[in-house]
Amino acid sequence: MRVGFAGTPEFAQAALARLHEAGFSVPLVLTQPDRPAGRGMKLQASPVKQYALAHAMPVAQPRSLKLDGKYPDEARMGEQALRDAALDVLVVAAYGLILPQWVLDLPRLGCLNIHASLLPRWRGAAPIHRAIEAGDADTGITIMQMDAGLDTGDMLMEERVAIAPDDTTATLHDRLAALGGRLIVEALEAAACGGLQRTPQPAEGVTYAHKIEKAEAAIDWRLPAEVIARRVRAFDPFPGASFEHAGETLKLWQAALRPGMPGAAPGTVLAADAGELVVACGEGALALLQLQRPGGKRQPTTALLQARPIAAGVCLQAAPGAGD
């Protein structure tokens, strides 16, 4: 079976590696163009491109595959690369470009997507973040037959994963990436002998995982402590929940629920001793356990307080954008 692959970040790289290790022929890899990254803003290849080049896989990086779109020359080059590859199937994982209908129709077995949720819940760009933010008890991987809609295609295979109380997007991402790699191999092996069954997605229970915006990370202390704690975990590693204090934007990476104090205004520091910084919220309170100053590293709050004490009674400010 000739398996094309389209993907960009680490989540996709894990699947490409699993396909390669399983012995599938990968005659073409599509990935996003190199992007500026790091302090020097030098062009950096995506994790998928880095893996592909290290294993002698042909790579194409069109900015678009729409033949009548903004980059028609690049789209035509991408079309030629796809036709020359003579694919049986195209596996797609967090590619980042919309696939036009001609791409979906080109491979003999169509395009299979590795999606990090139990569809139809959390269609869209940020299913891992949104599942944690919403307090879901579990999530998983769905292997889907792609169609022209946004994650609306028939389901081919799925497996459920429990979300632990301390899971962050980073930890859950890694488990789902590994699971996605295993399931796509199983799906392709089943497809090779005609054993894949298509199941339409239910019409009920559809939710959308909209892209994470930096402004969402601003902590609004008026929210319940439980909601803020989930957002802290959902926004780790990006963009990081944040608040303002003494002219600095501090990022909060770890927090724990604590009892509130009746009448305390949201954002008020209730305690700053015994190794904890406890802040009143709209409901309950939060112990801020791990913080990061601008340009610094993540560190236990106790270490940060030694350098920059915060007294009980101080009211922490919401970061710009909170509550907008």
Side-chain angles (χ1 to χ4, degrees), residues 261-315:
M261 181 180 294
T268 301
V269 176
L270 303 179
D273 52 21
E276 286 196 341
L277 179 65
V278 181
V279 180
C281 303
E283 294 178 14
L286 274 185
L288 315 188
L289 304 180
Q290 188 182 71
L291 295 172
Q292 181 180 10
R293 292 181 60 196
K297 297 180 179 180
R298 302 186 189 194
Q299 60 180 323
T301 300
T302 50
L304 185 142
L305 292 177
Q306 290 176 2
R308 296 179 66 85
I310 300 176
V314 168
C315 190

CSV table of all heavy atoms in Angstrom, one decimal, residues 261-315:
chain,number,residue,atom,x,y,z
A,261,MET,N,-13.0,32.3,51.0
A,261,MET,CA,-13.3,33.1,52.2
A,261,MET,C,-14.5,34.0,51.9
A,261,MET,O,-14.5,34.8,51.0
A,261,MET,CB,-12.1,33.9,52.6
A,261,MET,CG,-12.3,34.8,53.8
A,261,MET,SD,-10.8,35.7,54.2
A,261,MET,CE,-9.7,34.4,54.6
A,262,PRO,N,-15.6,33.8,52.7
A,262,PRO,CA,-16.8,34.6,52.4
A,262,PRO,C,-16.5,36.1,52.4
A,262,PRO,O,-15.8,36.6,53.2
A,262,PRO,CB,-17.7,34.3,53.6
A,262,PRO,CG,-17.3,32.9,54.0
A,262,PRO,CD,-15.8,32.9,53.8
A,263,GLY,N,-17.0,36.8,51.4
A,263,GLY,CA,-16.8,38.2,51.2
A,263,GLY,C,-15.5,38.7,50.6
A,263,GLY,O,-15.4,39.9,50.3
A,264,ALA,N,-14.6,37.8,50.3
A,264,ALA,CA,-13.3,38.2,49.7
A,264,ALA,C,-13.5,38.5,48.3
A,264,ALA,O,-14.1,37.7,47.5
A,264,ALA,CB,-12.3,37.1,49.9
A,265,ALA,N,-13.0,39.6,47.8
A,265,ALA,CA,-13.1,40.0,46.4
A,265,ALA,C,-12.3,39.1,45.6
A,265,ALA,O,-11.1,38.7,45.9
A,265,ALA,CB,-12.7,41.5,46.3
A,266,PRO,N,-12.8,38.7,44.4
A,266,PRO,CA,-12.0,37.9,43.5
A,266,PRO,C,-10.6,38.5,43.2
A,266,PRO,O,-10.6,39.7,42.9
A,266,PRO,CB,-12.9,37.8,42.2
A,266,PRO,CG,-14.2,38.0,42.7
A,266,PRO,CD,-14.1,39.0,43.9
A,267,GLY,N,-9.6,37.7,43.2
A,267,GLY,CA,-8.2,38.3,43.0
A,267,GLY,C,-7.5,38.6,44.3
A,267,GLY,O,-6.3,38.8,44.3
A,268,THR,N,-8.2,38.6,45.4
A,268,THR,CA,-7.5,38.9,46.7
A,268,THR,C,-6.6,37.8,47.2
A,268,THR,O,-7.1,36.6,47.2
A,268,THR,CB,-8.6,39.2,47.8
A,268,THR,OG1,-9.4,40.3,47.4
A,268,THR,CG2,-7.9,39.6,49.1
A,269,VAL,N,-5.4,38.1,47.6
A,269,VAL,CA,-4.5,37.1,48.2
A,269,VAL,C,-5.0,36.7,49.6
A,269,VAL,O,-4.9,37.6,50.5
A,269,VAL,CB,-3.1,37.5,48.1
A,269,VAL,CG1,-2.2,36.5,48.8
A,269,VAL,CG2,-2.6,37.8,46.7
A,270,LEU,N,-5.4,35.5,49.8
A,270,LEU,CA,-5.9,35.1,51.1
A,270,LEU,C,-4.8,34.6,52.0
A,270,LEU,O,-4.9,34.8,53.2
A,270,LEU,CB,-7.0,34.0,50.9
A,270,LEU,CG,-8.2,34.3,50.1
A,270,LEU,CD1,-9.1,33.1,50.0
A,270,LEU,CD2,-8.9,35.6,50.6
A,271,ALA,N,-3.8,34.1,51.4
A,271,ALA,CA,-2.7,33.6,52.2
A,271,ALA,C,-1.4,33.6,51.4
A,271,ALA,O,-1.5,33.3,50.2
A,271,ALA,CB,-3.0,32.2,52.8
A,272,ALA,N,-0.3,33.9,52.0
A,272,ALA,CA,1.0,33.9,51.3
A,272,ALA,C,2.0,33.3,52.3
A,272,ALA,O,3.1,33.9,52.4
A,272,ALA,CB,1.3,35.3,50.8
A,273,ASP,N,1.7,32.2,52.9
A,273,ASP,CA,2.7,31.6,53.8
A,273,ASP,C,2.5,30.1,53.7
A,273,ASP,O,1.7,29.6,52.9
A,273,ASP,CB,2.4,32.1,55.2
A,273,ASP,CG,1.0,31.9,55.7
A,273,ASP,OD1,0.3,31.1,55.0
A,273,ASP,OD2,0.5,32.6,56.6
A,274,ALA,N,3.2,29.4,54.6
A,274,ALA,CA,3.1,27.9,54.6
A,274,ALA,C,3.3,27.3,53.2
A,274,ALA,O,2.7,26.2,52.9
A,274,ALA,CB,1.8,27.5,55.2
A,275,GLY,N,4.1,27.9,52.4
A,275,GLY,CA,4.4,27.3,51.1
A,275,GLY,C,3.3,27.5,50.1
A,275,GLY,O,3.4,26.9,49.0
A,276,GLU,N,2.3,28.3,50.3
A,276,GLU,CA,1.2,28.5,49.4
A,276,GLU,C,0.9,30.0,49.2
A,276,GLU,O,0.9,30.7,50.1
A,276,GLU,CB,0.0,27.7,49.8
A,276,GLU,CG,0.1,26.2,49.6
A,276,GLU,CD,-1.2,25.5,49.6
A,276,GLU,OE1,-2.2,26.1,50.1
A,276,GLU,OE2,-1.3,24.4,49.1
A,277,LEU,N,0.5,30.3,48.0
A,277,LEU,CA,-0.1,31.6,47.7
A,277,LEU,C,-1.6,31.3,47.2
A,277,LEU,O,-1.8,30.7,46.2
A,277,LEU,CB,0.6,32.2,46.5
A,277,LEU,CG,0.1,33.6,46.0
A,277,LEU,CD1,0.3,34.6,47.1
A,277,LEU,CD2,0.9,34.0,44.8
A,278,VAL,N,-2.5,31.7,48.1
A,278,VAL,CA,-3.9,31.3,47.9
A,278,VAL,C,-4.7,32.6,47.5
A,278,VAL,O,-4.6,33.6,48.1
A,278,VAL,CB,-4.5,30.7,49.1
A,278,VAL,CG1,-6.0,30.3,48.9
A,278,VAL,CG2,-3.8,29.5,49.6
A,279,VAL,N,-5.4,32.5,46.4
A,279,VAL,CA,-6.1,33.6,45.8
A,279,VAL,C,-7.6,33.4,45.7
A,279,VAL,O,-8.0,32.3,45.3
A,279,VAL,CB,-5.6,34.0,44.4
A,279,VAL,CG1,-6.3,35.2,43.8
A,279,VAL,CG2,-4.1,34.2,44.4
A,280,ALA,N,-8.4,34.3,46.2
A,280,ALA,CA,-9.9,34.2,46.1
A,280,ALA,C,-10.4,34.3,44.7
A,280,ALA,O,-9.8,35.0,43.8
A,280,ALA,CB,-10.5,35.3,46.9
A,281,CYS,N,-11.4,33.5,44.4
A,281,CYS,CA,-12.0,33.5,43.0
A,281,CYS,C,-13.5,33.8,43.2
A,281,CYS,O,-14.0,34.0,44.2
A,281,CYS,CB,-11.8,32.1,42.3
A,281,CYS,SG,-10.0,31.6,42.2
A,282,GLY,N,-14.2,33.8,42.0
A,282,GLY,CA,-15.6,34.0,42.1
A,282,GLY,C,-16.3,33.0,43.0
A,282,GLY,O,-17.3,33.4,43.7
A,283,GLU,N,-15.9,31.8,42.9
A,283,GLU,CA,-16.3,30.7,43.8
A,283,GLU,C,-15.1,29.9,44.3
A,283,GLU,O,-14.3,29.5,43.4
A,283,GLU,CB,-17.3,29.8,43.1
A,283,GLU,CG,-18.6,30.4,42.7
A,283,GLU,CD,-19.5,29.4,42.0
A,283,GLU,OE1,-19.2,28.2,42.0
A,283,GLU,OE2,-20.5,29.8,41.4
A,284,GLY,N,-14.9,29.8,45.6
A,284,GLY,CA,-13.7,29.1,46.1
A,284,GLY,C,-12.5,29.9,45.9
A,284,GLY,O,-12.5,31.1,45.7
A,285,ALA,N,-11.3,29.2,46.0
A,285,ALA,CA,-10.0,29.8,45.9
A,285,ALA,C,-9.0,28.9,45.3
A,285,ALA,O,-9.3,27.7,45.1
A,285,ALA,CB,-9.5,30.2,47.3
A,286,LEU,N,-7.9,29.4,44.8
A,286,LEU,CA,-6.9,28.7,44.2
A,286,LEU,C,-5.6,28.9,44.9
A,286,LEU,O,-5.2,30.0,45.2
A,286,LEU,CB,-6.7,29.1,42.7
A,286,LEU,CG,-7.6,28.5,41.6
A,286,LEU,CD1,-7.1,29.0,40.3
A,286,LEU,CD2,-7.5,27.0,41.6
A,287,ALA,N,-4.8,27.8,45.1
A,287,ALA,CA,-3.4,27.8,45.5
A,287,ALA,C,-2.6,27.9,44.2
A,287,ALA,O,-2.7,26.9,43.4
A,287,ALA,CB,-3.1,26.6,46.4
A,288,LEU,N,-1.8,28.9,44.1
A,288,LEU,CA,-0.9,29.0,42.9
A,288,LEU,C,0.4,28.3,43.2
A,288,LEU,O,1.2,28.8,44.1
A,288,LEU,CB,-0.7,30.5,42.6
A,288,LEU,CG,-1.9,31.4,42.6
A,288,LEU,CD1,-1.6,32.8,42.0
A,288,LEU,CD2,-3.1,30.8,41.8
A,289,LEU,N,0.6,27.2,42.6
A,289,LEU,CA,1.8,26.4,42.9
A,289,LEU,C,3.0,26.5,42.1
A,289,LEU,O,4.1,26.3,42.5
A,289,LEU,CB,1.3,24.9,42.9
A,289,LEU,CG,0.1,24.5,43.7
A,289,LEU,CD1,-0.2,23.0,43.6
A,289,LEU,CD2,0.3,24.9,45.2
A,290,GLN,N,2.8,26.9,40.8
A,290,GLN,CA,4.0,27.1,39.9
A,290,GLN,C,3.8,28.3,39.1
A,290,GLN,O,2.8,28.4,38.4
A,290,GLN,CB,4.2,25.9,39.1
A,290,GLN,CG,5.5,25.9,38.3
A,290,GLN,CD,5.6,24.6,37.4
A,290,GLN,OE1,4.9,24.5,36.4
A,290,GLN,NE2,6.5,23.7,37.7
A,291,LEU,N,4.7,29.2,39.1
A,291,LEU,CA,4.6,30.5,38.4
A,291,LEU,C,5.9,30.7,37.5
A,291,LEU,O,6.9,30.0,37.6
A,291,LEU,CB,4.5,31.7,39.3
A,291,LEU,CG,3.2,31.7,40.2
A,291,LEU,CD1,3.4,32.8,41.3
A,291,LEU,CD2,2.0,31.9,39.4
A,292,GLN,N,5.8,31.7,36.6
A,292,GLN,CA,6.9,32.0,35.7
A,292,GLN,C,6.9,33.5,35.5
A,292,GLN,O,5.8,34.1,35.1
A,292,GLN,CB,6.8,31.3,34.4
A,292,GLN,CG,7.9,31.6,33.4
A,292,GLN,CD,7.7,30.8,32.1
A,292,GLN,OE1,6.7,30.3,31.8
A,292,GLN,NE2,8.8,30.9,31.3
A,293,ARG,N,8.0,34.2,35.8
A,293,ARG,CA,8.1,35.6,35.5
A,293,ARG,C,8.6,35.8,34.0
A,293,ARG,O,9.1,34.9,33.4
A,293,ARG,CB,9.2,36.2,36.4
A,293,ARG,CG,8.8,36.3,37.8
A,293,ARG,CD,9.9,36.9,38.7
A,293,ARG,NE,10.1,38.3,38.2
A,293,ARG,CZ,11.2,39.0,38.5
A,293,ARG,NH1,12.2,38.5,39.3
A,293,ARG,NH2,11.4,40.2,38.1
A,294,PRO,N,8.3,37.0,33.5
A,294,PRO,CA,8.8,37.3,32.1
A,294,PRO,C,10.3,37.0,31.9
A,294,PRO,O,11.1,37.5,32.7
A,294,PRO,CB,8.5,38.8,31.9
A,294,PRO,CG,7.4,39.0,32.9
A,294,PRO,CD,7.7,38.2,34.1
A,295,GLY,N,10.6,36.2,30.9
A,295,GLY,CA,12.0,35.9,30.6
A,295,GLY,C,12.6,34.8,31.5
A,295,GLY,O,13.7,34.4,31.3
A,296,GLY,N,11.8,34.4,32.5
A,296,GLY,CA,12.3,33.4,33.4
A,296,GLY,C,11.8,32.0,33.1
A,296,GLY,O,11.2,31.7,32.1
A,297,LYS,N,12.1,31.1,34.1
A,297,LYS,CA,11.7,29.7,33.9
A,297,LYS,C,10.5,29.4,34.9
A,297,LYS,O,10.3,30.1,35.8
A,297,LYS,CB,12.8,28.7,34.2
A,297,LYS,CG,14.0,28.9,33.2
A,297,LYS,CD,15.1,27.9,33.6
A,297,LYS,CE,16.3,28.0,32.6
A,297,LYS,NZ,17.4,27.0,32.9
A,298,ARG,N,9.8,28.3,34.6
A,298,ARG,CA,8.8,27.9,35.6
A,298,ARG,C,9.5,27.6,36.9
A,298,ARG,O,10.6,26.9,36.9
A,298,ARG,CB,8.1,26.6,35.1
A,298,ARG,CG,7.4,26.8,33.7
A,298,ARG,CD,6.6,25.6,33.4
A,298,ARG,NE,6.0,25.6,32.1
A,298,ARG,CZ,5.1,24.8,31.6
A,298,ARG,NH1,4.6,23.8,32.4
A,298,ARG,NH2,4.6,24.8,30.4
A,299,GLN,N,8.9,28.0,38.0
A,299,GLN,CA,9.4,27.6,39.3
A,299,GLN,C,8.3,27.5,40.3
A,299,GLN,O,7.3,28.1,40.2
A,299,GLN,CB,10.5,28.7,39.7
A,299,GLN,CG,9.9,30.1,39.8
A,299,GLN,CD,10.9,31.1,40.2
A,299,GLN,OE1,11.8,30.8,41.0
A,299,GLN,NE2,10.9,32.3,39.6
A,300,PRO,N,8.6,26.8,41.4
A,300,PRO,CA,7.6,26.7,42.5
A,300,PRO,C,7.3,28.1,43.0
A,300,PRO,O,8.2,29.0,43.1
A,300,PRO,CB,8.3,25.9,43.6
A,300,PRO,CG,9.3,25.1,42.8
A,300,PRO,CD,9.8,26.0,41.7
A,301,THR,N,6.1,28.4,43.4
A,301,THR,CA,5.7,29.7,43.8
A,301,THR,C,6.5,30.1,45.0
A,301,THR,O,6.8,31.3,45.2
A,301,THR,CB,4.2,29.7,44.1
A,301,THR,OG1,3.5,29.4,42.9
A,301,THR,CG2,3.7,31.1,44.6
A,302,THR,N,6.9,29.2,45.9
A,302,THR,CA,7.6,29.5,47.1
A,302,THR,C,9.0,30.1,46.7
A,302,THR,O,9.4,31.1,47.4
A,302,THR,CB,7.9,28.3,47.9
A,302,THR,OG1,8.4,27.2,47.1
A,302,THR,CG2,6.6,27.8,48.6
A,303,ALA,N,9.6,29.6,45.7
A,303,ALA,CA,10.9,30.2,45.2
A,303,ALA,C,10.7,31.6,44.7
A,303,ALA,O,11.5,32.5,44.9
A,303,ALA,CB,11.5,29.3,44.2
A,304,LEU,N,9.6,31.8,43.9
A,304,LEU,CA,9.4,33.2,43.4
A,304,LEU,C,9.1,34.2,44.5
A,304,LEU,O,9.5,35.3,44.5
A,304,LEU,CB,8.2,33.1,42.4
A,304,LEU,CG,7.9,34.4,41.7
A,304,LEU,CD1,7.5,34.1,40.2
A,304,LEU,CD2,6.8,35.2,42.3
A,305,LEU,N,8.3,33.7,45.5
A,305,LEU,CA,8.0,34.6,46.6
A,305,LEU,C,9.2,35.1,47.4
A,305,LEU,O,9.2,36.1,48.1
A,305,LEU,CB,6.9,34.0,47.5
A,305,LEU,CG,5.5,33.8,46.9
A,305,LEU,CD1,4.6,33.1,47.9
A,305,LEU,CD2,4.9,35.1,46.5
A,306,GLN,N,10.2,34.2,47.5
A,306,GLN,CA,11.4,34.6,48.2
A,306,GLN,C,12.1,35.8,47.5
A,306,GLN,O,12.6,36.7,48.2
A,306,GLN,CB,12.4,33.4,48.2
A,306,GLN,CG,11.9,32.3,49.1
A,306,GLN,CD,12.9,31.1,49.0
A,306,GLN,OE1,13.9,31.1,48.3
A,306,GLN,NE2,12.5,30.0,49.7
A,307,ALA,N,12.0,35.9,46.2
A,307,ALA,CA,12.6,37.0,45.5
A,307,ALA,C,11.6,38.2,45.4
A,307,ALA,O,12.1,39.4,45.5
A,307,ALA,CB,13.0,36.6,44.1
A,308,ARG,N,10.3,37.9,45.3
A,308,ARG,CA,9.3,39.0,45.1
A,308,ARG,C,8.1,38.7,46.0
A,308,ARG,O,7.2,38.1,45.5
A,308,ARG,CB,8.9,39.1,43.7
A,308,ARG,CG,10.1,39.6,42.8
A,308,ARG,CD,9.6,39.7,41.3
A,308,ARG,NE,8.6,40.7,41.1
A,308,ARG,CZ,9.0,42.0,40.9
A,308,ARG,NH1,10.2,42.4,40.9
A,308,ARG,NH2,8.0,42.9,40.7
A,309,PRO,N,8.2,39.0,47.3
A,309,PRO,CA,7.1,38.7,48.2
A,309,PRO,C,5.8,39.3,47.7
A,309,PRO,O,5.7,40.4,47.2
A,309,PRO,CB,7.5,39.3,49.5
A,309,PRO,CG,9.0,39.4,49.4
A,309,PRO,CD,9.3,39.7,48.0
A,310,ILE,N,4.7,38.6,48.0
A,310,ILE,CA,3.3,39.1,47.7
A,310,ILE,C,2.6,38.9,49.0
A,310,ILE,O,2.4,37.8,49.6
A,310,ILE,CB,2.6,38.3,46.6
A,310,ILE,CG1,3.4,38.4,45.3
A,310,ILE,CG2,1.2,38.8,46.4
A,310,ILE,CD1,2.8,37.6,44.1
A,311,ALA,N,2.1,40.0,49.6
A,311,ALA,CA,1.5,40.0,50.9
A,311,ALA,C,0.0,39.6,50.8
A,311,ALA,O,-0.7,39.9,49.8
A,311,ALA,CB,1.6,41.4,51.6
A,312,ALA,N,-0.5,39.0,51.9
A,312,ALA,CA,-1.9,38.7,52.0
A,312,ALA,C,-2.7,40.0,52.0
A,312,ALA,O,-2.2,41.0,52.5
A,312,ALA,CB,-2.2,37.9,53.3
A,313,GLY,N,-3.8,40.0,51.3
A,313,GLY,CA,-4.6,41.2,51.2
A,313,GLY,C,-4.5,42.0,49.9
A,313,GLY,O,-5.3,42.8,49.5
A,314,VAL,N,-3.4,41.7,49.2
A,314,VAL,CA,-3.1,42.3,47.9
A,314,VAL,C,-4.2,41.8,46.9
A,314,VAL,O,-4.5,40.6,47.0
A,314,VAL,CB,-1.7,42.1,47.4
A,314,VAL,CG1,-1.5,42.4,46.0
A,314,VAL,CG2,-0.7,42.8,48.3
A,315,CYS,N,-4.6,42.6,46.0
A,315,CYS,CA,-5.6,42.2,45.0
A,315,CYS,C,-4.8,42.0,43.7
A,315,CYS,O,-4.3,43.0,43.1
A,315,CYS,CB,-6.7,43.1,44.9
A,315,CYS,SG,-8.1,42.5,43.8
